[in-house]
Structure formats: C-alpha cells, structure tokens
Amino acid sequence: MTNRLFLRNLFHTTLAITALFQLSFGQSKPAASGAILQGLKKLNVVGTVLYVAAHPDDENTQLLTYLANERLLRTGYLALTRGDGGQNLIGSEQGEYIGVIRTQELLAARRIDGPDQFFSRANDFGFSKSTDEAVRMWGQEQILGDVVWMIRKYRPDVIITRFPPDSRAGHGHHSASAYLAEEAFKIANDPTKYPEQLKWVKPWQPKRIFWNVFIPGAFMSNKKPDEPGVISVETGLYNPLLGKSYGEIAAESRSQHKSQGFGVPASRGVKIDYLLLKGGEPAPKDPFDGVDLSWKRVPGSAKVQQLINQAITNFKSDKPSASVPVLVQTYKALAQLDTANLYVKAKRQEVEKLIQQCIGLWYETNPADFAASPGEQIRVASSIVNRSDYPVKLLGIQMPAVKKDTAMNLALKPNDVVAFNSAVTIPANQPISQPYWLEKPVNKGLFQVSNQALIGSPENPPAFTTAYSFEIDGQRFVFTQPWSYKSTDPVDGEIYRPFIIQPAVMANLAEKVYVFADDTPKNVDVVLRAGRTSVSGTLKLEVPSGWRVEPEQIPFNLKEKSQEVRVSFRIYPSTTYGEGRLRAVVSTTSPEKTGYASSLRVVAYKHIPTQTLFPAAEAKLVKLDIKVKSKNIGYIAGAGDEVPAALQQIGCVVTPLTARDMNSNLSVYDAIVVGVRAYNTEDWLRNAQPKLLDYVEKGGTMIVQYVTPGGSFIQNGLKTSQLGPYPFVVGRERVTEEDATMTFINPQHPLLNTPNKITEQDFNGWVQERGIYFAQEWDKAYEPIFSAHDVNEASKDGSLIYCKYGKGHYMYTGLVFFRELPAGVPGAYRLFANMISVGK
Ligand SMILES: [Zn+2]
C-alpha cells in the first residue's frame, strides 16, 4: 500500500498526470444485440440532418438523440466554436485549453447519443452582444464559408438551428449561428459562391431550415410560438432496443459537459419540441415531409433494399453472427452501386461495422508507451479475437505510418486471442502531435487552418493506425483503427489514452508570467524532460534586450525516456518598466539540432481521453512600476483561479483559507481575497460569513471576486444571501470589450491613488473583457469606482464597489482579475495592489 502511494506521488510530481479514461474511444466497439438490430434498421434510412449552434452545450441533446436513434438519420451537430472563451468549473485551464477540453466533452457526448460532431474555425473570443460583432470578429467571408463548406460536405436534407437570428438568442454567437446557417442555406447550392471549395465538394441544396424554438433564459423557453409553419416533434420516446428513453440518453450525454457543470437529471415521459420553418419548402406535419428517406433515392438499389429487409426480419438476438452472410451480400451489392454516392459510402461503413459487431470481432494495436519521439523505436502489440464460431480468416496487418506490412492466412479459432508483437520505428520526420487548429498562432477571431479538408473535423485524423485485413464469406474486409495506449490503474481499471508523438526533449518553465515588482532578480526554474532515451545538449533562455540571464547556458544529459531534471536560471530585470518575452532554446547533440523548445501540457480528466499538447516553452516578463503595502493575504479558493500565484509574484505571502481556518485569528491577514465563484461552490462560506464580516469590521480588508447570481437554469445559487456588510445585488451586466473606456467616478478615491496612481494607461492591454457579473444595485454605503460600457450601451457602474465597514474595508468586483493577473497585465496588478493595500 505504502509503496503504491509513494509511486503515485512520484508519478504526480513528474508532470504526467494520471490519465483516466475508460470508454473505448477509437476502439472497435462491441455491441449488444439490441444495438445491432438498431444498426440494421438504420441501414434502411437514407437521410441526413444537421443541427447548428454556437458552443459546446448549446445543442438540444434530446432532439439530437431522437433524430439519431428514433429517426435513425445521419445526424450531425455543427458547433461554430469549441467554447474556448468559457469558464472552467473543473480546473484552471483557460482559452484554447478549455477549447480542447470542450471538444473532447462533445465527442464524449456524441459517443453516448450517436450523432457526428463538427466545428468551424471560429474561436470563442468571449461573450458577444450582437450578431454583427460576432461575425465581424470571425470574419463574415470566412465563417460563412465554413458553414457553406459543412453543408456541402455533409449534405443535410434538413438544417435545424438552436437559436433565433436576433437578440432573443441572448449572445451574439448564438444569433450569429442562426444567421449564418440561414445565409449558408441560401447559397450552398450556388457554384459561384466559394468556388474554391468545389475542388473537394459539390454544391448542395437542403430541402428546408428550421429554428428549434428556444429563447435562452425566457420563461417557458421552448413554448409553442404563435406563428404559422410550426410543427411539433415528440422526443420523449422510449427505445426498447437500447433500454432507455431519449431523455435518459440525453441526460447521460449532456452530463459530459463537466467543465461547464452541466450535469442534468434524466427526463422521462412526453417531451415536445417545436420546429419553426425559416426557409425552404413548407413541412405540414413532419420535419422530413417530402424528403425521400428510403433507398429509392439511390439509383439501382432495389437489391440492397431487399437484402437489408431480409437481415432485419431474420435477425437472431441470441446469434447475431447468423446475419453475417446477408450482410456480406449487402456489402457486395453496395459495391455494384455508384461508389461516389454519399449514402453508398456511408452505408458501406455501417455494414462493415455491423459485420464486425455480429461476429464480436475485436482488434487493437497498443504501443508500449503513450508517446514516442520521431526516429524512436518502440514496441507495439496487436491482438485480434473472433468471439463467435463464424469462420474468419486474418489475411494481414498493415501499419502504413511505420511501413509495416505483414501478410498471413490465418483461420481465427473461436475466442482464441491471436497476438503479434513488433518493434517499429517512428519516421524521423514525423510531425509532433498538435491539434490542427492550434498549429499556427491563435488569432482572436478565427483559428488558422491551412488544410481546407480538415475544416469541420473535431480533431486530427490519427497519424498511427493499423489496417486489419479479414476474409469473411469469401469477401476481403479491411478494418482500420488508430493505435492507442492501454494501461491499468489500480483504482480505475483499464484506461485508454491516445498515442502521440512528442519532441525529443521538452522544457517546462515554472510560470508563464514572471512579474518583477522591483529590481530583485528571480529564479526561473525549468524542468527538462526526455521524450526518448539518451538525449543530451544545452538549454539557454533568450531574454529581451536590457534583461540579463545567468548562466548563459546549462548542459543536460538525460539517459532514460521520461527522465526529468530541474535546472535554474537567474533573471535580472530591465531597469525600465515594460514587458517582453522569455524563450527557451534547446540544442541537442544527436541529432544535432537547435531551436525554440516546446513545453509539455497534459490535460487529464476522467471523462475525456487525456490530451497532450506541446505549446512553445516561453513566458512573459513584466517589469512593474508597483507598490504593495499589504503582504499577508488569506485566499479563499472557489472554482479555481490563478490569482494566488500572481499575488506571490508581487511579493505577497498567500495563505489558502478553508472552513477550519475560520476559527483561527483572521486579523493576522492584511487582506482576505475570495476566489472566483467561491460563494457559488463552497457550502461552508454560508456559516463563515459572520466571521468574515467581523474580520472586516475590526479593521480587515476583504475583496470578493465575481459570483454568478444563480437562479438561471445553468448556475448554482449563492450560498449566502448577504455577500457584504450592506446589501447589494449581483446581476448579469458585463463589459465584454476589453478596451472599453473606464471612467473614474471619483478620481480622488484612495483606490485610484494609493499606493499606485491609477491612470487610463492601466487599462491598456487587458485581455478578453473588462468584467462580468457586475453589482447591479447596492446600498448607499457602497461607492462605485468605475463607470464603463460596451459600444452603444448605457453606462454600468458596478464593476468595483467599495465600502468602509467598522474599521475595515470591503469590495466586490466583477473585473476579471482572474484573467488579467495570470496574463501579466501591468495595470491589473497595480489596481489590485491598491485594493489589497487600501487599509494600510
Ligand atoms: Zn452558447
């Protein structure tokens, strides 16, 4: 026991976080007989529907579940963005890393409810108040082009939007998603529009487009609208083949949105959704009225149709392999049809999967490690097992990326596992794994993707796959599957993790921002990690002119793969105030190579496959003109933020405070800062509130960062009805333009003058937004400090409110210090320093 604990601790300290993922992503999926019969019935449905919205979680999961599993349609969800701009309820990732998490959460949801998942290139740049702003930020031409591309590629008969194309949608991204879908619906069939796409796809005209009536935040948000052209769909049905209702499946899939805290209960019973026609031919009764959803739309398919009916009629739930002969015949009959036809292609894949499921055929290839470096030799294990008595021959195994091709002629005995081990060499020029939309520097509006064919894909096509050739009923089948690393966790059991290619050596800087509040030098620790065995060379830090680093370079020699060594440099700040960039440069000896280093970033949560990223090994350097009078800070953490580390950078000693500390003497703290959404997430604060306010009354300084007001369908309520010493109400007001003018309501206020004189300049360089969840009404004891607003809006004064209480000071702020401090924004540090110092 002790030993294991020790090993686990050791493991955690070495950067790699335990990867916990139990569902089989990318694995050949076995299926119970009910699901196989469901798949056979789906072969008979020849139609496609595309659902369009803006973010991960926008989709109506239950409607998607119904379309994919009751109507058995080829169903897709196009989320314009990956949700990069949202908040993270389960960890400290921000920006594109949240986008990576949300992408995987959507894929996890789709593995449960069935549809395909797509994304455009749009970056979720944060809350947006209008369609115009959203479309301008993304670029009208490009983003509309992406939606047109998806329509031409997926060829839906019907498009369904989640939102109305106007302000009722509640978010500029939402209204824009509907506006773009409606515009794309009009032009996707016009070959003069986006003609460059026609190299890959053909024009396509969907039959009609609906709005899946829903007004976010409204009472009875999906109530039947009083307009002509509305039809209703009953999505609450129970599927006996799956043993669940669509409301139950939808709840499981929606609860994958864990980073947004979207666990939901299963719904049972009747549930009606309304669809309002927004374009195309009217549909009097059903969304697919007038669309032929049968094989009749594929010329010459009468034989295929007849074979599928035969397969359904004769299906034996206790012996699915009895369906193999008719499925093989179906496969052969499909090969006689126009193989360029969308449905011929799609149904061939479905038939392949059904054959595999009917036989219970299992195959996988597992490398000995989750990562390898270019040029590295690794061992891979392939195993194949036929779990029925149906005769199957293994004809060969091909691993195209490592040029391995083994032909054989092996009859697979029932339930007899056949295993092959081989040593393979990763090509020396193999690119390092990186999500395709993050390969180039991230723009605020649109991700840069050079390969048009990748646009729309949720993630990269797997670089390493194995193609297994089988002979079944005299027909050759080639089933391809990505490699994945497999391990066993003593608690969580078997875990799969995507196989990735990593650099020969990685350099992780201890911080992403180094803030210098004076001329004192700082240590910059770097953890070097070997991506393969025997890697040696030197590490340097490149700093801007005026800055100095010691020593000039540090040699390293890492013998073992994954071995780590911590080295330390000393950085002397520039004498002038300003910002610059520090970059790690690595030179390796064999092969001889010098270049900017990559770091290792692991995003590991139990509900998604572990994601491994290699962002540039660099940090921001900031020399600040700042005075801080408070040093001893107590910090009450909420949903997770990086403010404590930022405060340490400017010389504060930060002590985390929890429920048990409330009985200690709080007066030792110069200020107590409450982390973002702590009053939403921490039950104990309810009872601690009198103690905290007593601390303020006796002379303490307390700062509460934003909370969400609760009461909406997505957010937790507050744990206390009185956040401050006097009443105030938190609302949903925000200023989303990060360069919005900040007017000083009372320029003489101490918060704006001591110890740092705050000026307009201090609001330069803010990222993403000014603030969220402002105070909306407050007792007259509070003074508002700033007035600000987005373009064409009324002023809002609740971004920072302050009051004296007894001998102490209390502040509530919606200003997004949790974003600005970790981003190294000088003015945010200076203002926050004034806030914690106000009692001194
Ligand atoms: Zn949304």
Side-chain angles (χ1 to χ4, degrees), residues 43 45-48 74 155 294-302 304-305 308 330-352:
L43 286 180
V45 182
V46 186
T48 302
R74 198 167 153 261
R155 299 166 85 82
S294 79
W295 276 99
K296 289 198 196 87
R297 69 195 291 181
V298 180
S301 61
V304 170
Q305 170 75 84
I308 294 169
T330 311
Y331 188 82
K332 288 177 178 166
L334 280 167
Q336 302 302 311
L337 303 181
D338 172 13
T339 47
N341 181 294
L342 169 74
Y343 289 104
V344 173
K345 273 196 258 182
K347 297 299 171 184
R348 269 173 76 118
Q349 285 173 8
E350 287 177 32
V351 171
E352 286 179 350

Side-chain angles (χ1 to χ4, degrees), residues 671-750:
I672 292 177
V673 179
V674 184
V676 301
R677 291 203 309 279
Y679 284 99
N680 298 106
T681 62
E682 303 305 306
D683 280 317
W684 62 271
L685 280 176
R686 182 178 293 127
N687 298 323
Q689 194 65 356
K691 176 84 184 176
L692 289 166
L693 293 177
D694 178 63
Y695 154 80
V696 178
E697 192 175 14
K698 290 186 174 136
T701 295
M702 180 172 173
I703 297 165
V704 175
Q705 297 179 80
Y706 91 89
V707 298
T708 59
S712 97
F713 69 107
I714 54 165
Q715 281 148 345
N716 296 328
L718 289 169
K719 305 295 182 190
T720 171
S721 56
Q722 200 185 352
L723 282 172
Y726 307 104
F728 68 92
V729 177
V730 175
R732 297 182 179 280
E733 288 185 341
R734 48 175 82 209
V735 173
T736 62
E737 288 157 22
E738 70 274 20
D739 54 357
T741 304
M742 301 295 285
T743 306
F744 301 175
I745 294 172
N746 169 13
Q748 310 312 318
H749 198 281

Side-chain angles (χ1 to χ4, degrees), residues 98-169:
I98 297 186
V100 166
I101 293 174
R102 301 259 218 272
T103 297
Q104 292 300 324
E105 288 182 339
L106 274 183
L107 290 170
R110 297 298 85 88
R111 281 191 287 270
I112 293 166
D113 57 30
D116 300 314
Q117 181 62 51
F118 306 111
F119 295 95
S120 81
R121 286 173 293 169
N123 188 357
D124 175 5
F125 54 84
F127 189 80
S128 165
K129 286 172 180 166
S130 71
T131 304
D132 279 359
E133 189 209 26
V135 171
R136 194 175 60 241
M137 284 295 302
W138 291 329
Q140 160 92 24
E141 182 70 13
Q142 292 94 325
I143 187 68
L144 180 59
D146 282 8
V147 182
V148 168
W149 166 256
M150 274 320 305
I151 293 175
R152 289 172 173 175
K153 204 173 167 186
Y154 202 56
R155 299 166 85 82
D157 299 303
V158 169
I159 296 177
I160 304 175
T161 66
R162 183 41 159 166
F163 299 104
D166 51 54
S167 62
R168 287 175 298 170

